[in-house]
Amino acid sequence: MRYSTSILALAAAPLAVYGAPARIYGKRADSDILVFKFADVLEQLEASFYSTALSKFQDSDFTAAGFTSALIPAELFKVIQSDEQAHSDALQAALKAFGQEPVTSCSFNFDAALGDVATMAATARVVENVGVAAYLGGATLLTDPVLLDAAGSILTIEARHQTILNVLSGTGSAIPQAFDIPFTPSDVLAVAAPFFSGACDLGIPAQPTLSISNTGSVGPGTLLTFASAALNGTVPDDQLFCQMMLGGAPFSIALPLSQCIVPDGVDGPVAIWVTSDGQPLINNVRDRATNKQIAGPTIAFIDTKSEMIGQLARGASVNNGSGSGGEATSTETISPDQASSILASATATASDAGATDVSNSSTDGLPPTANTETGPSPDGKTTVNGWSTTPA
């Protein structure tokens, strides 16, 4: 069997990258090199984001953000950071095996995203969705099936990160959609560009950045408003359209910009572009028209189906107003003296309860009209184990 080019093996620890010199197997396709360089810079950004966040926030910051235990997010963010760094190391080793130098001159600034843990966790959710979209879209640019396998092995890990961040949001579904949305490299840069500090020339033009300017939660029925330097009147607003792309949909939902209302039935990430015509965008990077795109994409999370797993991690205090209507619970930190008082009270109550043994209770001596039913009450909140008489 003949093996083509160098093989990037992303395997068990320690991570191994096997690469044969490019001169042995011939010149690499420019698109393969571009995808790997671009992916490496994105992995650098992700690794730097988590590293900066973990160095800034303390346990008290995580609990203040509603996490039931600071260990839950801290442990998971450390694992994700380690994965992202491993991805970057592997991609750089592969590029050097191709006879190429990785791009290591880019620097990043996350100040706007690290004001507090809540903002950081929400931003991490965007970062991981962009990572999935980047690898998914980049797959169409790779010419070597071996490199496609390598990129796919990273994509699956990014998707796992995406699920974890959905859970840690406390409001979203772990797996809100059956399909993800692919981005072109220019789409990726439109979302990631605000995190770059200074020049970072990747040879790829970035789409103008787009952001949602609504305040408060966004859900079905919300009229979305946007901010972008590209929305400057060059194209009149009444000639602009918003394009909402959902995972698995064949094309976007195109609406006049002034009527960009989130439709019913949406749950999870939505990619949104602003275009100068109402022709829906096709949901694949090969055929998606770019000549009418004015700004974007941006990513909005429409969380309409919160799940118990997220509430266990983040607590019921994180609520987007779209829960199941169950009773809310809350937690608070108490002092050791308060804890001792509670324990003493509970012990006394248990002792009092133990003085009356109802496990073998009898209805002897009770009047015929007495209620002697046992078992759960109709509302399920009380269970009657038995009955006994007490001295008058």
Side-chain angles (χ1 to χ4, degrees):
M1 180 180 294
R2 181 181 178 185
Y3 291 88
S4 65
T5 63
S6 55
I7 299 175
L8 172 62
L10 304 178
L15 180 72
V17 180
Y18 302 99
R23 65 178 179 274
I24 296 177
Y25 296 106
K27 187 177 183 296
R28 278 287 180 184
D30 289 342
S31 59
D32 291 347
I33 294 171
L34 175 66
V35 170
F36 269 49
K37 283 188 175 183
F38 185 81
D40 172 43
V41 171
L42 185 60
E43 296 290 353
Q44 292 177 44
L45 183 153
E46 292 175 318
S48 178
F49 173 77
Y50 290 109
S51 179
T52 305
L54 287 167
S55 66
K56 175 175 181 177
F57 296 119
Q58 308 300 316
D59 287 356
S60 58
D61 297 315
F62 288 109
T63 54
F67 287 103
T68 53
S69 168
L71 291 176
I72 295 174
E75 287 180 348
L76 292 170
F77 289 145
K78 288 177 182 176
V79 170
I80 294 174
Q81 193 281 332
S82 178
D83 288 346
E84 310 296 13
Q85 187 60 57
H87 294 164
S88 177
D89 292 343
L91 290 164
Q92 289 189 21
L95 285 165
K96 291 176 181 178
F98 304 161
Q100 298 289 325
E101 282 300 315
V103 177
T104 58
S105 58
C106 301
S107 57
F108 313 104
N109 187 311
F110 306 107
D111 290 348
L114 298 180
D116 53 49
V117 167
T119 304
M120 175 265 177
T123 303
R125 201 177 175 197
V126 173
V127 166
E128 294 304 328
N129 271 269
V130 171
V132 171
Y135 280 99
L136 191 58
T140 63
L141 302 175
L142 290 169
T143 64
D144 189 329
V146 175
L147 299 186
L148 181 60
D149 283 350
S153 69
I154 296 178
L155 168 60
T156 57
I157 303 305
E158 297 291 339
R160 293 186 180 104
H161 296 168
Q162 180 185 33
T163 296
I164 288 296
L165 270 298
N166 287 340
V167 170
L168 293 183
S169 73
T171 60
S173 304
I175 310 171
Q177 298 170 356
F179 302 93
D180 281 307
I181 306 166
F183 280 178
T184 66
S186 293
D187 291 336
V188 173
L189 287 178
V191 181
F195 298 127
F196 286 93
S197 177
C200 182
D201 185 10
L202 297 173
I204 299 170
Q207 292 280 62
T209 297
L210 180 69
S211 61
I212 295 174
S213 56
N214 295 70
T215 58
S217 60
V218 173
T222 300
L223 174 62
L224 299 178
T225 56
F226 302 95
S228 173
L231 301 180
N232 52 21
T234 302
V235 179
D237 286 355
D238 60 3
Q239 297 179 24
L240 295 176
F241 295 80
C242 77
Q243 307 271 356
M244 290 186 275
M245 190 79 76
L246 308 178
F251 44 77
S252 65
I253 300 169
L255 297 169
L257 189 63
S258 61
Q259 302 171 35
C260 190
I261 298 174
V262 180
D264 291 336
V266 175
D267 182 53
V270 180
I272 307 173
W273 289 258
V274 172
T275 63
S276 59
D277 73 0
Q279 182 69 29
L281 299 176
I282 296 176
N283 196 5
N284 75 69
V285 297
R286 188 195 67 180
D287 301 324
R288 184 182 302 154
T290 59
N291 61 326
K292 299 296 185 179
Q293 293 179 19
I294 301 297
T298 188
I299 296 177
F301 289 95
I302 312 300
D303 293 329
T304 58
K305 299 177 182 177
S306 61
E307 296 173 335
M308 182 59 69
I309 188 173
Q311 295 177 20
L312 290 174
R314 196 72 181 269
S317 58
V318 181
N319 188 356
N320 67 351
S322 58
S324 59
E327 294 185 19
T329 60
S330 61
T331 61
E332 63 177 290
T333 303
I334 60 175
S335 68
D337 288 342
Q338 288 174 303
S340 298
S341 176
I342 293 171
L343 289 173
S345 174
T347 302
T349 302
S351 298
D352 291 342
T356 302
D357 182 6
V358 298
S359 61
N360 295 308
S361 60
S362 170
T363 58
D364 292 345
L366 292 176
T369 57
N371 179 4
T372 59
E373 292 185 7
T374 60
S377 62
D379 61 7
K381 295 184 177 181
T382 305
T383 298
V384 179
N385 295 319
W387 298 85
S388 65
T389 56
T390 56

